[in-house]
């Protein structure tokens, strides 16, 4: 009969960092997607197709919930990104996680009615969360690599479409409108984070990431 001690898996520091990164990134995406779903249901007359996600940050019924959730997104992305960094050692990729996190925190601290600062931080978040997916994919192998890169490319394509639409060419939004276009920036990245977080929590360290880098 197996002893209790033999049933306990020994965990290396890399294993612990990887699993903690997975937990943080999964929690980030899960809580944010739940919050924006609840916020859209709570906000009176919320325009899902024509409105921005950040409209939820200036409606009295949802402002605190949404803006606090954005700050949590940013903090968990920095924390999870650093834990993932401990398994791969790529400083440029860590910087992408930090930039994405700072963008989310800034967008939460400066809501939509704060003017240009919100737009700047939101753009940083939109761009770097999707670069984060592509960059993380370069550290992975197999289907998760493909999923990561695909999610990031889709998100960045819609960042470009949103920029074109916001510059005055509203036809760029197509039938999904501004709200749908913005969600096509955010949702692929959030769904990727759910999948990636679960992957990091479940996969053995040697299968989850390539060997750590020895150069900056």
């Amino acid at each position: 009969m197996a002893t209790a001690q033999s049933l306990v898996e020994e965990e290396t520091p890399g294993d612990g960092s990887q699993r903690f990164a997975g937990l943080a990134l999964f929690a980030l995406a899960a809580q944010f997607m739940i919050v924006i779903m609840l916020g859209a249901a709570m906000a009176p007359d919320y325009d899902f197709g024509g409105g921005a996600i950040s409209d939820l940050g200036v409606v009295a019924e949802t402002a605190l919930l949404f803006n606090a959730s954005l700050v949590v997104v940013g903090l968990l992305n920095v924390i999870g990104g650093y834990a993932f960094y401990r398994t791969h050692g790529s400083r440029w990729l860590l910087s992408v996680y930090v930039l994405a996190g700072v963008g989310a925190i800034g967008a939460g601290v400066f809501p939509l009615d704060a003017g240009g600062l919100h737009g700047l931080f939101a753009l940083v978040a939109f761009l770097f969360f999707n670069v984060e997916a592509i960059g993380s994919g370069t550290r992975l192998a197999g289907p998760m690599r493909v999923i990561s890169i695909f999610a990031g490319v889709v998100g960045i394509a819609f960042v470009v479409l949103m920029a074109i639409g916001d510059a005055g060419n509203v036809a760029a939004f197509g039938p999904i409108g501004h709200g749908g276009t913005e969600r096509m920036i955010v949702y692929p990245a959030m769904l990727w984070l759910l999948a990636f977080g679960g992957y990091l929590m479940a996969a053995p360290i040697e299968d989850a990431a390539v060997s750590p880098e020895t150069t900056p």
Side-chain angles (χ1 to χ4, degrees), residues 28-45:
L28 175 170
Q31 68 86 22
F32 187 61
M33 293 194 74
I34 290 170
V35 163
I36 59 178
M37 176 190 68
L38 293 176
M42 293 165 57
D45 303 318

Side-chain angles (χ1 to χ4, degrees), residues 109-136:
V109 171
F110 300 101
L112 188 61
D113 56 3
L117 274 177
H118 176 84
L120 176 61
F121 280 114
L123 179 60
V124 170
F126 286 157
L127 179 60
F128 282 99
F129 267 103
N130 287 291
V131 173
E132 175 178 308
I134 296 171
S136 297

Side-chain angles (χ1 to χ4, degrees), residues 69-141:
S69 177
L70 268 180
V71 172
V72 171
V73 165
L75 291 174
L76 287 178
N77 201 64
V78 173
I79 292 168
Y82 177 72
F84 183 46
Y85 164 74
R86 294 189 64 192
T87 74
H88 60 70
S90 175
R91 293 179 185 175
W92 74 265
L93 184 54
L94 173 61
S95 70
V96 170
Y97 274 81
V98 171
L99 285 168
V102 168
I105 293 169
V109 171
F110 300 101
L112 188 61
D113 56 3
L117 274 177
H118 176 84
L120 176 61
F121 280 114
L123 179 60
V124 170
F126 286 157
L127 179 60
F128 282 99
F129 267 103
N130 287 291
V131 173
E132 175 178 308
I134 296 171
S136 297
T138 67
R139 312 302 304 161
L140 306 172

Side-chain angles (χ1 to χ4, degrees), residues 130-212:
N130 287 291
V131 173
E132 175 178 308
I134 296 171
S136 297
T138 67
R139 312 302 304 161
L140 306 172
M144 197 66 229
R145 179 188 181 98
V146 176
I147 291 169
S148 301
I149 294 172
F150 178 75
V153 168
V154 169
I156 289 174
F158 277 90
V159 169
V160 174
L161 284 177
M162 189 179 72
I164 294 171
D166 286 347
N169 187 1
V170 294
F173 295 141
I176 63 176
H178 182 280
T181 301
E182 192 170 324
R183 281 167 175 79
M184 285 303 297
I185 297 169
V186 174
Y187 282 21
M190 292 297 113
L191 291 171
W192 166 72
L193 282 166
L194 287 173
F196 184 46
Y199 176 78
L200 290 178
M201 286 189 283
I205 189 70
E206 62 269 16
D207 294 334
V210 299
S211 300

